[in-house]
Amino acid sequence: MSRERSFTIIRTAVAMLVAILVAFVIIVLVSDQPVESIKIFLLRPFSTKRYLGNIVETAVPLIFSGLAMAIMFKASLFNLGGEGIFFIAGITGSIVAIWPQLPPVVFPIVCIVAGAITGIIVMLVPGVLKAKYGASEMVTSLMMNNILLGVGLYLLNNMMRDPTVASLVSYQYRSNALLGNIISGTRVHVGFLIALACAYAVYVFMFKSKWGYEIRMVGNNGKFASYSGINVTKVIIIVHVVAGAIAGMGGIIECLGMHRRFEWTALPGYGFDGAMIAMLAGNHPIGVIGAAFFVSYLRVGADLVNRTSDVPTEMIAILQSIIILLISAERFLHKYRQNWIEKEAK
């Protein structure tokens, strides 16, 4: 492993440690029993099978979102459309899960494919605009999120809404469409295995295929990649297609695995979480799994502290912000990075 790669891992680990230390400071400042609250935050998530299951199930959508963003970042693109895709793919996949009647194994596959196709179609809009016309993918994707939310809520309210329920939710999914649990006593579902398989597939795609090589080349230096014969326009569109498919799968898998009907009435937030996960993982597909588990561990710990002590759950938002600031700050530990590079050069 090169010194550059080693430094990146150490830098990420330090950012995580700083976030946890800040959590301790917050707990000490706001809690009447800081020692007990810290123990709950650190250890309670591992204390029972149920809480361990909470960590795993919380990590599943984060893995999909992180993979989608990691591919984008590898190509030096900053598209936040995964937020809206999670929502609209959940809508379209739910439509399939509500009305048709299909065999047990085939049914969830068809729903997931519907979500993936939805993600591809949606992501092609900012992808083509970026590739053909140079439009900022960040601006177009953020605008698309609000459009997709409005369209999704319209479909939910006028086509899918269950009139027998007081809240804004869809009809129940057919039982054959649901993703079954794989660990008894928890809500860990088949989507977790799909997420792991997807992470491995993205790793193979990014580091073992021609398209993955072209994506990494474009991300490192787009002009050089173009001069060397790589079709940059095609690469940008491919990146958006793959990321859209992954985000779309994540949206409907979360719905079929954790719910029995479509229940989101706002953007779920997973798209923005994906950016943090990808940065923590250094845009590496396998690293995304570890980063997702770390963030889900923090969230479960913060939720347990909030429910069993006097520490507010908003603490997790502070921790996430600190992690993003430290990871994205190029000058963070810059002096030590320079020293490492100079030693390697000698």
Side-chain angles (χ1 to χ4, degrees):
M1 185 183 295
S2 66
R3 287 183 178 269
E4 183 75 20
R5 181 65 179 169
S6 299
F7 173 80
T8 301
I9 295 174
I10 293 173
R11 184 171 178 266
T12 302
V14 171
M16 294 178 177
L17 179 61
V18 170
I20 292 176
L21 291 176
V22 169
F24 292 169
V25 172
I26 294 173
I27 291 173
V28 169
L29 291 175
V30 303
S31 177
D32 293 331
Q33 297 178 315
V35 175
E36 183 64 24
S37 297
I38 289 173
K39 286 174 62 178
I40 293 172
F41 176 70
L42 286 180
L43 303 178
R44 185 68 65 83
F46 303 113
S47 62
T48 68
K49 183 180 181 180
R50 175 189 169 190
Y51 294 152
L52 286 171
N54 292 152
I55 294 176
V56 176
E57 68 200 32
T58 303
V60 171
L62 298 178
I63 292 174
F64 283 105
S65 182
L67 289 172
M69 288 304 301
I71 294 173
M72 284 289 177
F73 288 166
K74 272 294 184 182
S76 290
L77 298 170
F78 199 85
N79 186 316
L80 293 173
E83 181 71 10
I85 289 175
F86 257 76
F87 185 85
I88 198 65
I91 288 283
T92 56
S94 295
I95 291 174
V96 177
I98 291 170
W99 280 288
Q101 179 65 275
L102 297 171
V105 178
V106 176
F107 207 163
I109 294 176
V110 172
C111 295
I112 293 170
V113 169
I117 292 174
T118 301
I120 291 172
I121 293 173
V122 170
M123 196 66 93
L124 276 174
V125 176
V128 171
L129 289 175
K130 173 67 175 181
K132 296 290 187 180
Y133 305 105
S136 170
E137 71 280 4
M138 182 177 72
V139 174
T140 54
S141 62
L142 287 174
M143 294 175 67
M144 286 287 293
N145 286 340
N146 288 325
I147 294 173
L148 296 173
L149 174 62
V151 171
L153 288 177
Y154 175 83
L155 293 174
L156 176 61
N157 195 36
N158 294 278
M159 179 179 176
M160 303 164 60
R161 184 173 187 175
D162 187 348
T164 64
V165 181
S167 57
L168 181 57
V169 295
S170 75
Y171 293 104
Q172 285 196 356
Y173 301 142
R174 293 189 180 272
S175 58
N176 287 348
L178 300 175
L179 296 175
N181 287 1
I182 57 176
I183 301 177
S184 62
T186 72
R187 295 194 298 170
V188 179
H189 51 84
V190 176
F192 174 59
L193 300 179
I194 300 175
L196 296 181
C198 189
Y200 179 73
V202 172
Y203 168 77
V204 173
F205 174 76
M206 289 300 300
F207 296 101
K208 306 293 181 180
S209 71
K210 176 186 174 183
W211 283 353
Y213 173 76
E214 291 180 347
I215 290 171
R216 288 183 284 120
M217 284 290 293
V218 171
N220 289 332
N221 192 321
K223 290 185 177 179
F224 176 80
S226 179
Y227 293 148
S228 63
I230 295 175
N231 188 334
V232 176
T233 299
K234 181 189 74 174
V235 169
I236 292 174
I237 293 176
I238 289 173
V239 168
H240 280 80
V241 166
V242 175
I246 293 172
M249 289 172 59
I252 185 57
I253 284 174
E254 178 68 5
C255 292
L256 297 180
M258 298 296 293
H259 308 283
R260 293 191 172 273
R261 61 177 85 223
F262 188 84
E263 300 176 354
W264 292 335
T265 56
L267 295 177
Y270 292 122
F272 297 111
D273 290 339
M276 175 180 60
I277 299 297
M279 285 189 287
L280 274 175
N283 301 327
H284 195 285
I286 306 302
V288 164
I289 299 173
F293 271 100
F294 174 74
V295 173
S296 64
Y297 159 68
L298 290 182
R299 290 184 173 179
V300 171
D303 180 62
L304 290 172
V305 169
N306 176 248
R307 287 193 281 120
T308 58
S309 70
D310 53 355
V311 178
T313 191
E314 288 79 12
M315 176 181 69
I316 191 63
I318 299 174
L319 303 188
Q320 291 180 173
S321 300
I322 291 171
I323 292 173
I324 292 174
L325 288 173
L326 294 179
I327 294 295
S328 61
E330 293 185 3
R331 302 297 297 180
F332 179 56
L333 299 181
H334 178 73
K335 178 180 177 181
Y336 297 97
R337 175 178 178 272
Q338 289 298 110
N339 291 338
W340 273 47
I341 294 176
E342 291 173 4
K343 287 180 181 179
E344 186 176 32
K346 294 178 182 178

